[in-house]
Amino acid sequence: TDEQLPAATHQRFAGRLKERLHELEHQVRDMLVFARGELPLTDRVTPAGLMQSLQAAAATHVQEANLRWQCDSHQGELLCNRDTLVGALLNLIENATQASGPGARLKVHLYTRGHTLRLCVSDSGSGIAPQVLQRLGEPFFTTKTNGTGLGLTVVKAVARAHQGQLQLRSRLGRGTCALMTLPLFSSAASAE
Protein backbone atom coordinates (compact mmCIF):
# COMPACT_ATOMS: atom_id res chain seq x y z
CA THR A 1 0.00 0.00 0.00
CA ASP A 2 1.06 3.65 -0.45
CA GLU A 3 0.96 4.10 3.31
CA GLN A 4 4.18 2.13 3.60
CA LEU A 5 7.13 4.50 3.63
CA PRO A 6 10.18 3.38 1.67
CA ALA A 7 12.79 1.89 4.02
CA ALA A 8 15.32 4.65 3.23
CA THR A 9 12.82 7.41 4.09
CA HIS A 10 11.83 5.55 7.22
CA GLN A 11 15.44 5.32 8.27
CA ARG A 12 16.06 8.99 7.52
CA PHE A 13 13.11 10.00 9.72
CA ALA A 14 14.30 7.71 12.50
CA GLY A 15 17.78 9.23 12.22
CA ARG A 16 16.40 12.77 12.39
CA LEU A 17 14.24 11.90 15.35
CA LYS A 18 17.20 10.41 17.17
CA GLU A 19 19.25 13.56 16.47
CA ARG A 20 16.44 15.76 17.74
CA LEU A 21 16.11 13.73 20.96
CA HIS A 22 19.85 13.97 21.41
CA GLU A 23 19.62 17.75 21.10
CA LEU A 24 16.74 18.01 23.50
CA GLU A 25 18.74 16.00 25.98
CA HIS A 26 21.58 18.49 25.52
CA GLN A 27 19.20 21.43 25.96
CA VAL A 28 17.81 20.04 29.18
CA ARG A 29 21.32 19.38 30.44
CA ASP A 30 22.32 22.94 29.50
CA MET A 31 19.34 24.41 31.29
CA LEU A 32 20.20 22.47 34.41
CA VAL A 33 23.75 23.77 34.10
CA PHE A 34 22.44 27.34 34.04
CA ALA A 35 20.08 26.70 36.90
CA ARG A 36 23.16 25.71 38.91
CA GLY A 37 25.17 28.49 37.30
CA GLU A 38 28.12 26.45 36.11
CA LEU A 39 29.45 25.77 32.64
CA PRO A 40 32.91 24.25 32.28
CA LEU A 41 34.80 26.12 29.53
CA THR A 42 37.24 23.38 28.62
CA ASP A 43 37.53 23.75 24.83
CA ARG A 44 39.96 25.99 22.98
CA VAL A 45 38.61 26.83 19.55
CA THR A 46 39.72 29.27 16.86
CA PRO A 47 37.02 31.44 15.27
CA ALA A 48 37.43 29.46 12.02
CA GLY A 49 37.08 26.20 13.99
CA LEU A 50 33.90 27.51 15.62
CA MET A 51 32.50 28.41 12.21
CA GLN A 52 33.24 24.92 10.88
CA SER A 53 31.44 23.28 13.82
CA LEU A 54 28.52 25.63 13.32
CA GLN A 55 28.39 24.93 9.57
CA ALA A 56 28.32 21.19 10.23
CA ALA A 57 25.52 21.59 12.78
CA ALA A 58 23.52 23.93 10.54
CA ALA A 59 23.77 21.55 7.58
CA THR A 60 21.42 19.05 9.24
CA HIS A 61 18.99 21.71 10.49
CA VAL A 62 18.44 24.55 8.13
CA GLN A 63 18.56 22.98 4.69
CA GLU A 64 16.04 25.34 3.12
CA ALA A 65 17.73 28.58 4.18
CA ASN A 66 20.11 30.41 1.91
CA LEU A 67 23.08 30.79 4.28
CA ARG A 68 26.20 32.81 3.57
CA TRP A 69 29.24 32.34 5.77
CA GLN A 70 32.06 34.83 6.23
CA CYS A 71 34.97 34.59 8.65
CA ASP A 72 37.24 37.64 8.93
CA SER A 73 38.59 36.66 12.34
CA HIS A 74 41.93 34.89 12.04
CA GLN A 75 43.68 35.51 15.36
CA GLY A 76 43.21 34.17 18.84
CA GLU A 77 41.10 31.45 20.41
CA LEU A 78 37.90 31.16 22.33
CA LEU A 79 37.86 29.45 25.68
CA CYS A 80 34.48 27.79 25.48
CA ASN A 81 32.14 24.89 25.89
CA ARG A 82 31.98 24.09 22.18
CA ASP A 83 28.76 22.00 22.15
CA THR A 84 26.80 24.48 24.22
CA LEU A 85 28.07 27.47 22.24
CA VAL A 86 27.31 25.84 18.89
CA GLY A 87 23.85 24.85 20.18
CA ALA A 88 23.14 28.45 21.22
CA LEU A 89 24.33 29.88 17.90
CA LEU A 90 22.30 27.29 16.01
CA ASN A 91 19.28 28.58 17.92
CA LEU A 92 19.98 32.09 16.55
CA ILE A 93 20.23 30.70 13.00
CA GLU A 94 16.97 28.76 13.41
CA ASN A 95 15.23 31.87 14.79
CA ALA A 96 16.42 33.90 11.82
CA THR A 97 15.25 31.20 9.39
CA GLN A 98 11.80 31.06 10.98
CA ALA A 99 11.47 34.84 11.12
CA SER A 100 12.37 35.25 7.46
CA GLY A 101 10.19 32.51 6.02
CA PRO A 102 10.97 30.37 2.95
CA GLY A 103 13.75 31.52 0.65
CA ALA A 104 15.28 33.56 3.46
CA ARG A 105 18.71 35.10 2.93
CA LEU A 106 20.85 34.73 6.02
CA LYS A 107 24.40 35.70 6.74
CA VAL A 108 26.70 34.46 9.49
CA HIS A 109 29.65 36.82 9.86
CA LEU A 110 32.58 36.43 12.27
CA TYR A 111 34.94 39.35 12.76
CA THR A 112 37.27 40.75 15.43
CA ARG A 113 37.03 44.03 17.33
CA GLY A 114 39.86 44.55 19.77
CA HIS A 115 40.09 41.43 21.94
CA THR A 116 36.60 40.25 21.12
CA LEU A 117 35.03 38.01 18.53
CA ARG A 118 31.79 39.34 17.07
CA LEU A 119 29.49 36.76 15.63
CA CYS A 120 26.56 38.22 13.75
CA VAL A 121 23.58 36.26 12.43
CA SER A 122 21.60 38.57 10.17
CA ASP A 123 18.45 37.97 8.16
CA SER A 124 16.52 39.80 5.49
CA GLY A 125 13.19 39.36 7.28
CA SER A 126 10.57 41.95 8.08
CA GLY A 127 12.33 43.13 11.24
CA ILE A 128 11.01 43.32 14.80
CA ALA A 129 8.98 46.15 16.32
CA PRO A 130 10.91 48.07 19.04
CA GLN A 131 8.47 47.16 21.84
CA VAL A 132 8.80 43.45 20.98
CA LEU A 133 12.58 43.70 20.57
CA GLN A 134 12.87 45.09 24.12
CA ARG A 135 11.20 42.01 25.56
CA LEU A 136 12.90 39.29 23.50
CA GLY A 137 15.13 37.25 25.76
CA GLU A 138 12.83 37.60 28.77
CA PRO A 139 11.98 34.13 30.07
CA PHE A 140 8.62 32.90 28.73
CA PHE A 141 8.08 35.88 26.41
CA THR A 142 7.52 34.58 22.88
CA THR A 143 5.94 35.61 19.60
CA LYS A 144 5.67 32.00 18.39
CA THR A 145 2.43 30.06 18.74
CA ASN A 146 4.13 27.05 20.31
CA GLY A 147 7.33 28.64 21.63
CA THR A 148 8.50 28.49 25.23
CA GLY A 149 10.26 31.84 25.17
CA LEU A 150 13.32 30.12 26.62
CA GLY A 151 15.44 29.92 23.47
CA LEU A 152 16.89 33.44 23.57
CA THR A 153 17.04 33.38 27.37
CA VAL A 154 19.28 30.32 27.15
CA VAL A 155 21.36 31.91 24.36
CA LYS A 156 21.88 34.99 26.56
CA ALA A 157 22.85 32.76 29.47
CA VAL A 158 25.35 30.89 27.24
CA ALA A 159 26.88 34.22 26.17
CA ARG A 160 27.16 35.31 29.81
CA ALA A 161 28.70 31.98 30.83
CA HIS A 162 31.38 32.69 28.20
CA GLN A 163 31.95 36.21 29.62
CA GLY A 164 30.23 37.58 26.55
CA GLN A 165 26.89 39.10 25.64
CA LEU A 166 24.08 38.96 23.13
CA GLN A 167 22.53 41.99 21.48
CA LEU A 168 19.60 42.09 19.09
CA ARG A 169 19.31 44.88 16.56
CA SER A 170 16.43 45.21 14.18
CA ARG A 171 14.79 47.64 11.78
CA LEU A 172 11.25 47.12 10.54
CA GLY A 173 11.24 46.09 6.92
CA ARG A 174 15.03 45.70 6.92
CA GLY A 175 15.74 42.55 8.92
CA THR A 176 17.42 41.65 12.19
CA CYS A 177 20.93 41.03 13.44
CA ALA A 178 21.69 38.89 16.49
CA LEU A 179 25.17 39.79 17.65
CA MET A 180 27.12 37.66 20.09
CA THR A 181 30.32 39.18 21.48
CA LEU A 182 32.87 36.81 23.06
CA PRO A 183 36.34 37.39 24.54
CA LEU A 184 39.28 36.19 22.41
CA PHE A 185 42.50 34.96 23.96
CA SER A 186 45.83 34.93 22.20
CA SER A 187 46.48 31.39 21.03
CA ALA A 188 49.02 29.18 22.77
CA ALA A 189 51.23 29.17 19.67
CA SER A 190 51.83 32.91 19.83
CA ALA A 191 52.33 32.78 23.60
CA GLU A 192 55.26 30.39 23.43
Side-chain angles (χ1 to χ4, degrees):
T1 65
D2 355 283
E3 285 167 35
Q4 285 296 302
L5 284 174
T9 314
H10 202 84
Q11 227 166 353
R12 204 170 68 238
F13 278 132
R16 284 234 181 105
L17 198 60
K18 216 161 124 183
E19 265 173 40
R20 192 74 196 114
L21 285 170
H22 194 63
E23 278 154 40
L24 286 171
E25 197 183 336
H26 273 281
Q27 274 176 344
V28 169
R29 190 199 60 200
D30 293 345
M31 284 184 180
L32 291 173
V33 161
F34 300 127
R36 292 196 301 267
E38 67 202 57
L39 183 65
L41 306 180
T42 48
D43 302 313
R44 297 182 74 111
V45 182
T46 63
L50 177 65
M51 192 171 91
Q52 279 169 349
S53 297
L54 192 52
Q55 277 174 315
T60 57
H61 288 269
V62 282
Q63 293 96 332
E64 64 284 15
N66 177 359
L67 257 173
R68 276 177 47 230
W69 300 87
Q70 187 177 338
C71 184
D72 294 322
S73 183
H74 307 294
Q75 242 82 56
E77 287 182 322
L78 294 161
L79 198 58
C80 66
N81 187 307
R82 187 200 303 242
D83 289 349
T84 307
L85 187 55
V86 167
L89 294 167
L90 196 58
N91 189 308
L92 295 179
I93 293 174
E94 285 180 339
N95 276 355
T97 314
Q98 287 164 4
S100 315
R105 293 200 318 281
L106 265 64
K107 183 175 182 190
V108 180
H109 187 196
L110 284 74
Y111 58 99
T112 309
R113 284 284 175 280
H115 293 296
T116 61
L117 173 70
R118 304 281 169 98
L119 195 146
C120 180
V121 178
S122 50
D123 65 57
S124 56
S126 51
I128 303 166
Q131 60 274 28
V132 174
L133 194 62
Q134 268 179 331
R135 298 200 56 196
L136 283 178
E138 280 180 22
F140 310 113
F141 174 79
T142 184
T143 56
K144 297 176 191 170
T145 35
N146 56 1
T148 59
L150 284 174
L152 278 174
T153 312
V154 170
V155 175
K156 281 185 160 182
V158 171
R160 275 201 310 275
H162 285 84
Q163 277 81 54
Q165 57 170 329
L166 177 75
Q167 290 165 302
L168 295 170
R169 298 174 184 164
S170 188
R171 283 171 63 194
L172 280 174
R174 296 289 298 277
T176 304
C177 165
L179 179 69
M180 192 181 283
T181 308
L182 300 164
L184 272 175
F185 301 92
S186 54
S187 28
S190 58
E192 277 167 19

